[in-house]
Amino acid sequence: MLEARSVSKSYPTPRGPLPILNGVSLTLQHGEAISIVGPSGSGKSTLLYIVGALEPPTAGTVTLDGRDPFTLSDKDLSAFRNKQVGFVFQDHCLLPQCTVLENVLIPQMVAPPDETAPARAKALLDQVGLSERLDHRPGELSGGEKQRVSIARALIRSPQLLLCDEPTGNLDRKSAGQVADLLLEINRASKTILIVVTHSAELAGRFPKSYELIEGQLFAR
Ligand SMILES: Nc1ncnc2c1ncn2[C@@H]1O[C@H](COP(=O)(O)OP(=O)(O)O)[C@@H](O)[C@H]1O
Ligand SMILES: [Mg+2]
């Protein structure tokens, strides 16, 4: 279970703290899938980074199965992020000089050795429909294909959380639909908790639950 309790976040500025999130609470069971919408600058990415333990909250707590990652040592916090959190960004963030298969294996390079990883990477690339493109470089792929590689990369450690920040923001309508299909299929098959941040009402409406971030607070839509 993922539980955010009264999460607030402000950033320091020369004129004092700038409040972004103001008491966000959210509880998600394994296998749940939600979307979060909100205007640009409303704090959607900030909330995702806090939930994914990239950024500490100013107040409140986030726990995954009762564990608050920000109570861990730096080393254990890094291991937590690597194991439990898969991120997909609007810009796929693939390494251009590496092949598709190598890109998917990147999170594994800083994890304990696992000889099954290459076979799992190939299985994930098959699942995202790219088994014929293992040796291609990102520059040889379409936008939708690159995003599907980044989804496979996010899943290589079998994380409990799959967090997607505007995953279809750079895609045409058809590719966006395919990426949404894939995310929902992965969520159903793997019981990963899926959170998708988007400004697309069409994409948001495809998730079983949808929330809106307004003035630092989260409302069910
Ligand atoms: N590191 C930071 N320092 C100061 N302000 C920040 C920082 N990160 C984000 N912000 C501000 O927080 C607000 C929310 O940002 P963000 O979470 O990226 O919004 P969204 O993803 O909804 O567009 C914005 O006004 C942004 O400028
Ligand atoms: Mg954002």
Side-chain angles (χ1 to χ4, degrees):
M1 182 171 80
L2 173 72
E3 194 167 25
R5 275 198 223 147
S6 306
V7 166
S8 294
K9 180 76 180 179
S10 54
Y11 288 111
T13 73
R15 276 171 285 139
L18 173 70
I20 307 295
L21 301 175
N22 180 22
V24 170
S25 295
L26 180 67
T27 302
L28 296 174
Q29 306 294 337
H30 293 289
E32 279 201 82
I34 66 161
S35 57
I36 299 176
V37 296
S40 181
S42 58
K44 304 184 296 299
S45 296
T46 302
L47 178 58
L48 215 54
Y49 301 159
I50 291 172
V51 166
L54 293 183
E55 192 55 72
T58 313
T61 55
V62 176
T63 56
L64 182 65
D65 295 331
R67 201 160 51 135
D68 176 350
F70 287 107
T71 63
L72 300 172
S73 66
D74 283 354
K75 183 167 163 276
D76 289 346
L77 176 59
S78 297
F80 175 93
R81 289 179 185 131
N82 179 262
K83 175 68 194 89
Q84 302 299 1
V85 190
F87 260 104
V88 176
F89 298 97
Q90 176 167 357
D91 171 16
H92 47 81
C93 306
L94 299 176
L95 296 182
Q97 69 277 29
C98 293
T99 65
V100 161
L101 182 61
E102 287 165 350
N103 267 285
V104 172
L105 284 166
I106 285 167
Q108 193 61 51
M109 291 170 68
V110 290
D114 174 1
E115 65 208 19
T116 69
R120 286 188 299 103
K122 286 179 191 162
L124 282 167
L125 284 163
D126 190 32
Q127 191 182 0
V128 303
L130 292 173
S131 50
E132 309 293 311
R133 316 298 290 270
L134 303 185
D135 297 324
H136 287 228
R137 315 263 161 196
E140 298 163 328
L141 304 179
S142 72
E145 288 166 344
K146 281 185 249 197
Q147 207 50 313
R148 286 188 269 143
V149 176
S150 78
I151 292 169
R153 180 186 54 189
L155 294 171
I156 187 66
R157 302 277 289 126
S158 307
Q160 305 218 44
L161 301 179
L162 179 56
L163 307 179
C164 307
D165 195 352
E166 307 271 10
T168 65
N170 290 342
L171 303 182
D172 61 67
R173 196 159 175 271
K174 181 163 173 241
S175 307
Q178 288 170 344
V179 163
D181 291 341
L182 185 60
L183 291 172
L184 286 162
E185 180 190 307
I186 287 162
N187 162 255
R188 275 193 293 269
S190 66
K191 293 284 165 201
T192 302
I193 295 173
L194 172 62
I195 304 180
V196 174
V197 157
T198 177
H199 60 254
S200 158
E202 184 178 354
L203 176 63
R206 297 200 49 195
F207 292 80
K209 272 195 211 166
S210 185
Y211 293 88
E212 187 163 8
L213 200 52
I214 305 170
E215 293 179 2
Q217 297 196 309
L218 204 55
F219 297 91
R221 293 170 82 222

